[in-house]
Amino acid sequence: MKKILILSLLFALSSHAQVKETLAQKLSKLSTQISGVGGVDIASGLKEALNKGITQQVSKLTAVDGFYKNEAVKILMPEELQKVDATLRRIGLSSLADEGVKVLNRAAEDAVKEATPIFVSAVKNMSFTDAKNILLGNESAATSYLQKGTTTALYGKFNPVIKTSFEKVGADVVWKNIINKYNAIPLVRKVNPDLTDYTTNKALEGVFKMIAVEEKDIRTNISARTSPLLKSVFALQDKK
């Protein structure tokens, strides 16, 4: 019986080792393919995929209602103002609450127009190593690459645009009215949120969410690979 148990254990360990070796060989082979003559094509393919995400998805957010009528990215009142929203609706000021949400989204739509040049620069500067890591990464690796490389610059661009846009679309007046009306209600806790910072961060969140949608589509849906380059590059990803 001891011999049988020992033999079974040795067989199990051997099988596990073989599986690990097979996986290592597969990844090594794929890495060799990626590192070979087609390396430039792979970097170009990843850049094309990112540019496609920017063109197909981010540009939609700059249109009127690009945020406001897209439930995936629509900016709602900040968490600390949920009571404000509920209270305004309870006392018959639903239209004011709705307008407050709308102007936040209008400001975000304005701000995202500043994103494209920053994204283009980040994509242009992608190295071969970046491209390889993205191709072998998870379904949002390209989005994460952009997020890491552009968030600081995007915040710097978005924030002043949103501040100006608040004035342009009348958000400053609307929100001053909302806050004043709410703070005038007896016994409520007074609020004074930084809506510019909040809207900037929510706009950034929406941008990367939409790029991730396009990236996932290209990675998982062969018909979304709309050029020979995208097809050949992401075919390598399919083999990993």
Side-chain angles (χ1 to χ4, degrees), residues 172-198:
D172 51 346
V173 175
V174 171
W175 273 95
K176 185 178 180 181
N177 193 16
I178 288 173
I179 298 302
N180 287 344
K181 282 188 181 297
Y182 180 77
N183 286 343
I185 298 171
L187 303 179
V188 300
R189 183 179 178 182
K190 303 293 187 284
V191 294
N192 186 29
D194 184 346
L195 289 169
T196 303
D197 178 70
Y198 170 76

Side-chain angles (χ1 to χ4, degrees), residues 12-220:
L13 290 171
S14 174
S15 298
H16 179 67
Q18 286 175 352
V19 169
K20 284 182 72 176
E21 185 179 356
T22 300
L23 181 59
Q25 287 172 347
K26 192 173 181 182
L27 288 173
S28 176
K29 184 179 178 183
L30 179 58
S31 185
T32 300
Q33 280 183 282
I34 292 172
S35 302
V37 179
V40 174
D41 284 341
I42 286 160
S44 297
L46 264 297
K47 289 177 182 182
E48 183 177 326
L50 284 169
N51 283 324
K52 187 170 185 283
I54 293 163
T55 303
Q56 295 290 326
Q57 299 297 340
V58 177
S59 59
K60 292 178 184 177
L61 297 177
T62 66
V64 174
D65 291 331
F67 272 86
Y68 188 62
K69 290 190 176 178
N70 182 341
E71 292 302 320
V73 296
K74 182 179 180 178
I75 300 173
L76 303 176
M77 283 196 185
E79 188 176 345
E80 66 268 27
L81 294 185
Q82 293 302 315
K83 285 185 178 179
V84 176
D85 184 86
T87 303
L88 290 175
R89 295 182 191 283
R90 191 169 62 249
I91 62 175
L93 294 174
S94 295
S95 59
L96 182 58
D98 290 339
E99 186 62 20
V101 169
K102 183 184 286 187
V103 291
L104 295 183
N105 286 272
R106 289 287 180 265
E109 290 155 12
D110 268 355
V112 173
K113 293 170 186 173
E114 301 292 320
T116 301
I118 294 171
F119 282 137
V120 168
S121 177
V123 172
K124 185 179 178 181
N125 292 327
M126 181 191 294
S127 69
F128 172 71
T129 301
D130 292 330
K132 189 171 92 168
N133 291 338
I134 289 168
L135 190 64
L136 293 175
N138 60 34
E139 67 181 21
S140 62
T143 305
S144 297
Y145 166 80
L146 274 184
Q147 197 162 9
K148 182 179 178 182
T150 64
T151 295
T152 300
L154 287 173
Y155 186 97
K157 281 283 188 181
F158 281 17
N159 196 261
V161 172
I162 284 172
K163 190 171 183 179
T164 301
S165 184
F166 276 172
E167 298 171 7
K168 185 178 80 175
V169 301
D172 51 346
V173 175
V174 171
W175 273 95
K176 185 178 180 181
N177 193 16
I178 288 173
I179 298 302
N180 287 344
K181 282 188 181 297
Y182 180 77
N183 286 343
I185 298 171
L187 303 179
V188 300
R189 183 179 178 182
K190 303 293 187 284
V191 294
N192 186 29
D194 184 346
L195 289 169
T196 303
D197 178 70
Y198 170 76
T199 306
T200 301
N201 283 311
K202 296 305 284 186
L204 287 170
E205 186 182 304
V207 164
F208 291 119
K209 186 177 286 188
M210 296 311 296
I211 291 175
V213 166
E214 188 67 23
E215 178 182 1
K216 184 177 180 180
D217 195 33
I218 292 173
R219 285 186 183 274
T220 59

